[in-house]
Amino acid sequence: MKPSSPAQGPAEVDVVVVGAGIAGLYALHKFRSRGLTVRVLEAGDGVGGVWYWNRYPGARCDVESVDYSYSFDEALQQEWDWSEKYAAQPEILAYLEHVADRFDLRRDIEFGTRVTDVVLDEQTLRWQVDTDTGRALTARFVVLATGPLSNANTPAIEGLDTFAGRVLHTSHWPHDGVDLTGERVGVIGTGSSGIQAIPCLAEQAQRLHVFQRTANYSVPAGNTLLTEQDRRAQKADYARRRQLSMASGGGSPHQAHPEPALAVSEQERRAAYEKRWALGGVLFSKTFPDQLTDPAANDTARLFWEEKVRAVIDDPRVADLLVPGDHPIGTKRICTDTNYYQTYNRDNVELVDLKTTPIARIDAEGVHTTAAHYPIDTLVLATGFDAMTGSVARMNIVGRDSRTLNEAWHEGPKTYLGLGMTGFPNLFNLTGPGSPSVLANMVLHSELHVDWVAEAIGFLETRAAVALEARADAVAAWVDECAARAAGTLMTQANSWYLGANIAGRPRVFMPFVGGFGVYGQIIAEVAAAQYKGFDVIEA
Ligand code: N01
């Protein structure tokens, strides 16, 4: 047990929020402004969540800075100056620290405090929250703001624990940075984190071995510095941008082409793809509205992508390895890079194809594949996350009849609207499974969820009711609806972490709500307007 946190507040509060990332910070501000007593429990020693932990070189957001920022306070929007179109990790963390200071949030956050247990007292309908510091709180409401990508996945590779060099995980990069000058570096993993880190690591390392099991689609970030003129124009346009974002499929103001990919001429299609390519990054997968539902439409995007990427890779055999052949483009999150493919033209970089020569084991000196031994000084694990449910599953959450959330989610996460679970009254999960989650802009999504929960708490107060609890039939219907919507797309065709496919033993369930951020916002607003239909409103 760790020593008790110095920030000791009341043992009884209205709301405990777990996590001081983007959602947790806004939750604290919102609930406190509603007159509720709130404590935020945060495992890290600072605010920021993913942006606190993921400090690997090259870490950068793939949503434009102007959109990946809070909308709840006009003065905040106007005073903060983003320096780049797509902000890098240090700038996003500085922004979140600024928000914490500006709204005086830190006094209600207990850092270095990891929640271990969240247990319902069925008599009082209060939750007891225990932590690894020994600190315990009780609360009427518990809001899980743990984030869908916060529980690191460390692969079970034989001998990893015998490696004598340095092992780093991209999601827990040392805060003081790492000097890899002159080192032999190995990277395992070529998802978004690996693809952003690899070009930076290649510049430092004497030799870089990239161990690739599955190739990914990456689109250049198209990042640029913002001028004062850009910033002025963006700030003047906030109202329109936010409105479009809230109604959009993914939480940003860019609209897909009005017609399906195959309904337009080849010339028009190319022009649309060129425009998205220049915009940069993940939105390439939403150039046309049918790109993720019609295989033929998807193919047009894939071929455009392949032509662009092959053009910048010198060795066609290396290009063959870097072009994915196992999933439609966009069915895993498209990665966003700066000079990723060009990095393989460097003399000090080697791509190791684990499909044909898998890792057999790791020893003290390096990595053995079935074909060769690679001596390594620093091994970088860019192996991702136990996503969507991993951080929630780490806590022992016990609801009615002593049933744990892990038991309730044994066959995959079961929620109503992503927010509520049967047997867990007044426990709300933010931006997790059953909501658009990682398919949307997480800042606006966090605001949407927090505002909804705040309204729900207000509703209970006006009714002098004590709790809101998702009904089993509503959960079942929502799970079916999410599954049916996913089945109508190509998204289930990839072995992605959206499906839990990267973690052994996880049921294969497409976890995010794929129907679009705007549509989802309408659905949850309608539920609220209909007196929280699908929830039991429990009277005192
Ligand atoms: O993780 P990933 P990530 N042996 O799961 C490989 C967000 N994000 O941290 O595909 C060998 O995508 C694995 O291989 P395979 C974004 O939403 C955003 O990169 O399982 N390889 C894969 O290549 C993103 O999607 C940003 O065959 C192993 C890699 O590790 C999400 O976070 C930046 C292995 C993991 O890729 C996760 O991205 C960073 C093994 N035993 C992250 N185990 C931006 O905003 C795993 N792998 C741009």
Side-chain angles (χ1 to χ4, degrees):
M1 194 175 277
K2 288 202 256 169
S4 200
S5 160
Q8 298 288 331
E12 291 193 10
V13 291
D14 295 320
V15 193
V16 162
V17 176
V18 187
I22 288 168
L25 289 177
Y26 178 55
L28 169 56
H29 174 67
K30 179 83 185 185
F31 299 148
R32 214 165 60 180
S33 69
R34 291 289 182 100
L36 297 165
T37 53
V38 189
R39 295 302 275 178
V40 179
L41 303 175
E42 165 58 54
D45 290 329
V47 299
V50 287
W51 300 106
Y52 173 84
W53 296 107
N54 288 257
R55 301 179 188 224
Y56 61 84
R60 186 180 292 286
C61 191
D62 58 0
V63 179
E64 279 184 82
S65 314
V66 61
D67 301 315
Y68 194 82
S69 57
Y70 292 114
S71 69
F72 69 86
D73 189 278
E74 177 59 14
L76 172 66
Q77 290 192 147
Q78 292 301 326
E79 79 197 9
W80 183 263
D81 287 333
W82 292 106
S83 69
E84 295 181 273
K85 182 174 169 188
Y86 294 101
Q89 175 272 333
E91 189 169 15
I92 299 172
L93 184 58
Y95 169 73
L96 295 173
E97 286 174 341
H98 168 73
V99 170
D101 292 334
R102 191 186 193 288
F103 297 98
D104 189 21
L105 300 180
R106 291 178 205 269
R107 66 183 157 88
D108 282 320
I109 306 175
E110 300 185 19
F111 294 105
T113 305
R114 180 177 287 284
V115 171
T116 53
D117 302 83
V118 181
V119 180
L120 180 70
D121 177 335
E122 276 198 70
Q123 298 303 313
T124 60
L125 290 189
R126 288 186 72 84
W127 292 93
Q128 161 123 7
V129 180
D130 290 320
T131 70
D132 65 351
T133 66
R135 171 88 160 126
L137 292 159
T138 71
R140 211 174 130 206
F141 302 97
V142 173
V143 173
L144 304 176
T146 45
L149 293 163
S150 53
N151 194 19
N153 170 40
T154 298
I157 301 175
E158 187 191 325
L160 179 57
D161 56 342
T162 67
F163 180 60
R166 182 165 43 184
V167 180
L168 302 171
H169 197 293
T170 43
S171 75
H172 285 84
W173 203 259
H175 288 195
D176 297 334
V178 183
D179 184 7
L180 298 167
T181 312
E183 288 197 18
R184 297 161 304 179
V185 177
V187 180
I188 299 179
T190 50
S192 295
S193 304
I195 281 177
Q196 286 188 327
I198 285 163
C200 303
L201 301 176
E203 281 177 14
Q204 272 191 30
Q206 178 223 322
R207 184 126 200 96
L208 181 70
H209 302 287
V210 178
F211 297 96
Q212 173 187 273
R213 192 164 64 182
T214 313
N216 253 306
Y217 294 97
S218 186
V219 171
N223 188 38
T224 51
L225 289 176
L226 294 174
T227 63
E228 191 47 42
Q229 201 182 358
D230 295 331
R231 278 190 287 271
R232 265 205 302 276
Q234 287 180 344
K235 287 181 185 183
D237 195 29
Y238 257 126
R240 188 192 67 92
R241 278 191 99 98
R242 299 302 197 184
Q243 207 174 23
L244 285 171
S245 299
M246 293 308 289
S248 71
S252 82
H254 306 284
Q255 308 292 306
H257 193 283
E259 289 184 80
L262 297 175
V264 300
S265 68
E266 167 70 16
Q267 197 186 12
E268 189 173 346
R269 197 160 50 235
R270 278 198 76 86
Y273 285 136
E274 288 287 1
K275 200 170 154 203
R276 278 290 159 114
W277 194 266
L279 177 65
V282 66
L283 286 174
F284 182 75
S285 63
K286 292 185 180 158
T287 312
F288 288 98
D290 54 342
Q291 221 172 303
L292 292 172
T293 53
D294 177 351
N298 189 279
D299 242 23
T300 64
R302 183 183 61 76
L303 291 170
F304 179 92
W305 176 92
E306 188 169 337
E307 192 185 314
K308 285 277 189 201
V309 164
R310 283 191 185 273
V312 300
I313 304 170
D314 291 348
D315 183 341
R317 284 166 309 171
V318 172
D320 287 345
L321 297 177
L322 289 168
V323 171
D326 67 331
H327 63 282
I329 187 167
T331 53
K332 286 183 176 181
R333 190 180 181 88
I334 287 192
C335 306
T336 301
D337 73 271
T338 304
N339 289 329
Y340 175 63
Y341 294 105
Q342 293 86 337
T343 298
Y344 293 95
N345 300 335
R346 296 174 65 110
D347 291 337
N348 68 332
V349 176
E350 181 185 356
L351 181 63
V352 181
D353 175 25
L354 300 183
K355 275 267 191 287
T356 51
T357 59
I359 295 177
R361 65 183 187 285
I362 293 174
D363 65 14
E365 280 83 40
V367 175
H368 281 275
T369 66
T370 51
H373 180 256
Y374 297 88
I376 278 163
D377 301 305
T378 293
L379 183 62
V380 176
L381 302 176
T383 45
F385 302 89
D386 182 0
M388 308 288 298
T389 55
S391 296
V392 172
R394 244 172 114 164
M395 292 177 279
N396 176 42
I397 300 177
V398 186
R400 289 190 193 277
D401 304 321
S402 302
R403 189 156 191 248
T404 67
L405 191 61
N406 284 336
E407 284 161 357
W409 284 10
H410 168 68
E411 294 170 342
K414 293 188 181 346
T415 75
Y416 178 42
L417 310 176
L419 286 156
M421 286 77 66
T422 307
F424 301 86
N426 286 350
L427 180 83
F428 298 103
N429 192 27
L430 305 185
T431 68
S435 72
S437 187
V438 285
L439 302 179
N441 170 349
M442 292 303 280
V443 187
L444 298 187
H445 192 332
S446 298
E447 289 184 329
L448 179 75
H449 264 180
V450 168
D451 289 346
W452 190 94
V453 174
E455 289 302 316
I457 293 174
F459 168 79
L460 289 177
E461 258 138 38
T462 59
R463 295 274 296 258
V466 291
L468 210 55
E469 180 175 352
R471 290 211 325 256
D473 59 341
V475 170
W478 185 249
V479 167
D480 286 350
E481 173 158 2
C482 288
R485 285 183 186 256
T489 72
L490 305 176
M491 300 297 282
T492 53
Q493 292 188 17
N495 287 321
S496 68
W497 54 259
Y498 297 141
L499 283 146
N502 62 328
I503 302 294
R506 283 258 180 274
R508 193 179 169 95
V509 174
F510 192 85
M511 293 183 275
F513 170 83
V514 81
F517 183 57
V519 169
Y520 174 81
Q522 269 175 14
I523 293 172
I524 64 170
E526 281 162 16
V527 166
Q531 314 254 311
Y532 297 86
K533 76 174 173 206
F535 286 90
D536 282 331
V537 179
I538 301 167
E539 307 291 338

